[in-house]
Amino acid sequence: TSEAELTCFVATQNFYRLQVAGMLHVQKAPGNIVVQAISDGHEFNWATMDVSHTVNHLSFGPFLSETAWIVMPPDIAQAVGTLDEKKFTAEERVPTTHEHFVKVVKNVVEMPSSWGIKPVEAHGYVSHSNKIQRFAEVPTVRITYDILPIIVHVKAQYESFYHFLTQLCAVVGGVFTVAGIFKSSLEGFDDAMKP
């Protein structure tokens, strides 16, 4: 199973607030997280209900330690919480459903063994959000997630100095070779143009 942590606030027109916070244990399969007003004993005025919200934090997988955040490449660290601290608002008096589509990818980052750090596992995601405005629908916040069967494996390795030196010599030699070919071509062109 994978863990999804969700913390968000939903505000209504009269500034009553609902805070949703917690951790869900979900299977590694597509699913939905739905926040919707439902009650057998109450009636709601859907036309004035406002589900504008802020996603304070949404992440998948285990919590990351300080060390994990330090060794993680910036592009992977940025993908771990792409919905964090984002606000989603609705127009006044228009029932709006907010849909968030999330694609989750597991990332494994391995540092050199001499560092003594275990491989770091982080679940990054990409999200796309839509607003649907329909007068006959109950305003809802819906997060649809899909945990992809792909693993991005990043491995940091040291290169020996002689390997670096060999590559440097190859580049310098290539530059001289191309310059020599270019010079020979210009001389041949110049000789062909002489009467």
Side-chain angles (χ1 to χ4, degrees):
T1 63
S2 183
E3 297 175 351
E5 182 190 347
L6 170 69
T7 306
C8 67
F9 294 96
V10 179
T12 63
Q13 196 69 21
N14 297 324
F15 301 107
Y16 295 111
R17 294 186 184 263
L18 166 69
Q19 178 180 357
V20 179
M23 185 181 304
L24 302 172
H25 294 278
V26 296
Q27 295 296 320
K28 292 183 180 179
N32 294 313
I33 301 169
V34 179
V35 178
Q36 183 179 49
I38 299 174
S39 176
D40 292 333
H42 297 86
E43 287 189 27
F44 298 101
N45 183 356
W46 307 122
T48 61
M49 186 173 282
D50 182 6
V51 291
S52 296
H53 61 284
T54 300
V55 178
N56 299 101
H57 180 71
L58 176 66
S59 63
F60 293 83
F63 293 109
L64 299 176
S65 66
E66 286 276 328
T67 306
W69 283 108
I70 292 169
V71 300
M72 198 178 314
D75 52 337
I76 294 176
Q78 183 180 5
V80 169
T82 56
L83 278 178
D84 288 1
E85 302 303 326
K86 291 211 176 158
K87 296 181 181 194
F88 301 92
T89 58
E91 295 175 24
E92 195 171 322
R93 301 241 178 239
V94 179
T96 304
T97 293
H98 296 272
E99 290 187 331
H100 307 289
F101 298 96
V102 178
K103 298 284 187 181
V104 183
V105 176
K106 182 177 180 180
N107 299 286
V108 177
V109 179
E110 275 188 64
M111 300 314 286
S113 57
S114 62
W115 286 27
I117 299 173
K118 293 180 183 178
V120 176
E121 291 184 11
H123 291 74
Y125 62 87
V126 176
S127 65
H128 177 73
S129 300
N130 290 328
K131 284 197 272 190
I132 301 170
Q133 297 175 333
R134 293 189 188 132
F135 285 98
E137 253 186 40
V138 177
T140 306
V141 175
R142 185 178 301 121
I143 300 172
T144 302
Y145 61 88
D146 187 9
I147 301 174
L148 301 176
I150 298 171
I151 297 176
V152 176
H153 194 111
V154 178
K155 188 172 184 177
Q157 292 180 330
Y158 288 117
E159 278 191 359
S160 58
F161 181 70
Y162 72 86
H163 192 262
F164 167 75
L165 195 59
T166 303
Q167 288 178 339
L168 182 64
C169 289
V171 169
V172 170
V175 168
F176 278 115
T177 302
V178 170
I181 292 171
F182 185 68
K183 180 184 172 198
S184 298
S185 298
L186 284 177
E187 287 174 353
F189 180 73
D190 190 39
D191 290 342
M193 296 305 263
K194 288 183 182 177

